[in-house]
Every structure is written in structure tokens, then in C-alpha cells.
Amino acid sequence: MRIEEIHQRLVDKFGGEAIRELKTGVKDPWIEVAADRIADVAAFVHDDPDLALDALNDLCGSDWLETDAKKKTPCEPHVEVVYHLYSYTHKHFCKLKVKVPRWNDGKAGSLPRVPTVSHVWGIADWHEREAYDLVGIEFTGHPNLRRILCPEDWEGHPLRKDYEFPLEYHGVRGK
């Protein structure tokens, strides 16, 4: 099934408020899903026999803090969660994206929130922990949301574009 067909099925099922955009004409086309509906959409694309997107190949977080005026694609600052899905039954791919503001309720330091999909694809447990740890995205409903790569007492989220590497950590110089 082509991504345009998947998009239409999602719009028919969830409506235009939940399924926000279809981006084609790029190397890796994607469908944008409203953050508050991602868990429902994930369960549907996993369980629907015509879609059967039973494999979550990757889930990653990305920070879009554009500070360079020369960028080809300027955008409002936000973070994204990207879901790379595959159907072993039908041999088709789909990429879903969720975009949320960099800070919850516009308060600096208050992490953005996206519902977990770990109950749909078990491997999302580890991927969501990595996105939480490195990009600072909180996955609501996650069964064990804690750091996975950085120590528990690490300050900040190293893949944030405005992250400042500490000069010292437990007596060890950083720079």
C-alpha cells in the first residue's frame, strides 16, 4: 500500500484534526499525527488487517530549533517524534510524525508530552526512553520512563540544540 492510501485510510478513520499532513515529494514521505491521538492511531495501524504495521523499526526524537537564517526550511521551534513502521505481512513502510512545542505550555524547562506507544510495539519502551533521555520528550503512560544512556543525575538533554555541555561532572572536566 502506498503512503497516500495509508493517509486516506487514517483521515477516513480519525479525521483531519488528528491526521494533520501528508508530506510527499521528499525522499522519505511521512504523515503527521496530532500528539494526543498517536496512541489511537498506532493501535489502528498495528491492528488493521489491511495495514498490519506490526514492526516499529525506529522511534526517534528530533529538536528543531532553527537559529540559522540561511536554512532552506525555516520553521517554528518544536520537537518531533518520528515513527518508522513496517508491515511484514504486506511489505510496505510508513513514517508517522508527531510535532509538539519545545516546552510544555510554553514554560522553559517543562518537557513536551506525547502519549506512549509502548503498549502497541514493545520495542517502543527502549526507543521512548532514549528520546526522553537525549531530546527531553516525556512519554505519558510509559511504564518505566527513566534515562537509558545518561546517568540518572545528568542535567539536561544532550541532543537539544540549546544544550550546554557541563564544564564538570562529578569532578571530571568536560571541556
Side-chain angles (χ1 to χ4, degrees):
M1 187 176 288
R2 294 178 18 253
I3 194 159
E4 293 85 359
E5 297 168 296
I6 296 170
H7 175 259
Q8 190 58 55
R9 284 184 70 93
L10 294 177
V11 169
D12 292 346
K13 174 74 176 171
F14 296 99
E17 290 296 314
I19 310 304
R20 295 191 169 163
E21 180 181 3
L22 169 63
K23 183 71 169 184
T24 59
V26 294
K27 183 178 179 182
D28 201 9
W30 48 268
I31 299 168
E32 183 183 349
V33 177
D36 63 341
R37 298 304 304 276
I38 189 61
D40 297 331
V41 171
F44 176 75
V45 300
H46 180 273
D47 297 341
D48 181 85
D50 294 330
L51 297 176
L53 292 161
D54 51 0
L56 174 67
N57 292 345
D58 187 36
L59 180 159
C60 60
S62 179
D63 184 12
W64 290 79
L65 177 62
E66 297 300 338
T67 55
D68 184 354
K70 297 176 189 171
K71 290 281 185 182
K72 292 181 182 178
T73 56
C75 63
E76 287 294 315
H78 66 280
V79 294
E80 296 179 357
V81 182
V82 184
Y83 306 81
H84 295 264
L85 308 174
Y86 180 71
S87 171
Y88 284 104
T89 304
H90 302 299
K91 311 290 188 245
H92 59 234
F93 294 89
C94 180
K95 181 162 71 169
L96 302 178
K97 280 189 182 186
V98 168
K99 297 180 181 180
V100 291
R102 294 184 81 242
W103 303 114
N104 190 41
D105 294 329
K107 298 177 197 160
S110 179
L111 299 182
R113 296 185 180 124
V114 175
T116 186
V117 296
S118 62
H119 58 286
V120 178
W121 299 285
I123 192 63
D125 182 323
W126 288 58
H127 289 293
E128 289 176 348
R129 285 179 58 196
E130 180 181 47
Y132 163 72
D133 191 5
L134 299 179
V135 184
I137 301 166
E138 185 178 318
F139 291 90
T140 57
H142 190 282
N144 186 24
L145 192 63
R146 60 188 173 94
R147 291 193 180 270
I148 193 168
L149 297 171
C150 296
E152 287 292 332
D153 64 345
W154 193 263
E155 298 279 332
H157 305 278
L159 293 184
R160 283 278 180 137
K161 299 277 176 89
D162 55 356
Y163 178 74
E164 293 185 26
F165 195 80
L167 296 177
E168 185 177 297
Y169 175 72
H170 291 285
V172 177
R173 290 185 50 158
K175 287 189 176 182

